[in-house]
């Protein structure tokens, strides 16, 4: 379970990120670890979010999926360490998770390779709570399943898909 200090840190991070003035969206296709590094050098971000790491490419496209994804995971970990930035990787879950239900999800359920779990300093999943706000916003919970620098736990936040806005919920809904 997250401590009050850890919850406060996550809350403050969400507020800071929601107020961030510079957001760069790069919709490049065929992303490679080398392209990610080029973008790091160009923009010097503190945070990079890579949506669907399974679609990234490597220098050896003929490798089996597990080898390719392991190479990508290892390369992204090295980039994060070398450039002192946080890389958030969105990774698909295995299909059998749908049959078991969301409460049974573990990091071992990440599709493709165990390297995602092994390389990560933290890992988890985002799940929606039932219902929506009148303005279309959704309350989501980030469940931290692995945290090398603290305890696992969960924290709530809102997401407004119409404007891609997000931040801490208007009232405390932490679990």
């Amino acid at each position: 379970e997250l401590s009050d200090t850890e919850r406060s840190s996550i809350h403050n991070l969400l507020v800071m990120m929601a107020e961030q003035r510079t957001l760069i969206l790069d919709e490049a296709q065929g992303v490679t670890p080398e392209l990610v590094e080029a973008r790091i050098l160009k923009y010097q971000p503190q945070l990079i979010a890579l949506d669907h790491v399974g679609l990234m490419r490597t220098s050896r496209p003929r490798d089996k999926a597990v080898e390719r994804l392991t190479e990508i995971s290892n390369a992204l970990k090295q980039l994060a360490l070398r450039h002192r930035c946080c890389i958030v990787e969105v990774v698909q879950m295995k299909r059998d998770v749908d049959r078991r239900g969301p409460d049974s999800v573990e990091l071992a359920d990440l599709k493709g390779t165990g390297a995602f779990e092994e390389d990560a300093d933290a890992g988890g999943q985002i799940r929606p709570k039932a219902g929506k706000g009148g303005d279309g916003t959704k309350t989501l919970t980030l469940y931290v399943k692995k945290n090398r620098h603290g305890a696992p736990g969960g924290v709530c936040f809102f997401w407004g898909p119409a404007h891609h806005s997000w931040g801490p919920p208007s009232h405390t809904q932490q679990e």
Side-chain angles (χ1 to χ4, degrees):
E1 187 63 29
L2 294 176
S3 69
D4 289 341
T5 302
E6 290 168 324
R7 285 183 194 278
S8 178
S9 293
I10 292 171
H11 174 84
N12 292 339
L13 177 64
L14 285 169
V15 169
M16 181 184 77
M17 291 172 67
E19 294 172 351
Q20 182 67 24
R21 291 171 191 79
T22 305
L23 175 64
I24 299 163
L25 300 175
D26 187 333
E27 298 184 57
Q29 296 190 11
V31 175
T32 64
E34 294 79 17
L35 180 60
V36 172
E37 184 165 34
R39 296 302 196 262
I40 291 171
L41 293 171
K42 181 176 180 178
Y43 299 113
Q44 300 180 348
Q46 294 177 337
L47 173 72
I48 299 166
L50 296 169
D51 189 0
H52 208 323
V53 174
L55 296 178
M56 288 183 67
R57 296 183 183 178
T58 65
S59 58
R60 298 188 317 262
R62 297 191 194 280
D63 280 354
K64 292 181 181 177
V66 68
E67 294 165 347
R68 184 178 57 79
L69 293 171
T70 298
E71 179 183 336
I72 290 168
S73 178
N74 296 160
L76 293 174
K77 175 68 173 192
Q78 293 307 311
L79 288 175
L81 292 171
R82 185 167 45 251
H83 297 287
R84 302 181 55 79
C85 62
C86 177
I87 298 179
V88 176
E89 302 169 24
V90 178
V91 181
Q92 188 174 8
M93 303 299 284
K94 295 176 185 171
R95 292 199 185 276
D96 65 330
V97 169
D98 293 336
R99 289 189 294 274
R100 292 194 331 250
D103 292 334
S104 67
V105 173
E106 296 298 330
L107 292 179
D109 293 318
L110 295 174
K111 186 176 180 178
T113 178
F116 292 127
E117 178 184 6
E118 294 164 12
D119 290 339
D121 284 350
Q125 72 177 124
I126 298 174
R127 290 199 316 242
K129 291 190 171 256
K132 291 185 197 179
D135 58 357
T137 61
K138 298 178 182 185
T139 301
L140 306 172
T141 302
L142 167 62
Y143 292 97
V144 179
K145 300 280 190 167
K146 174 186 178 180
N147 183 356
R148 282 195 183 145
H149 307 289
V155 64
C156 290
F157 62 99
F158 81 87
W159 176 52
H163 302 287
H164 297 291
S165 60
W166 49 274
S170 57
H171 59 284
T172 303
Q173 295 176 312
Q174 298 175 343
E175 296 179 350

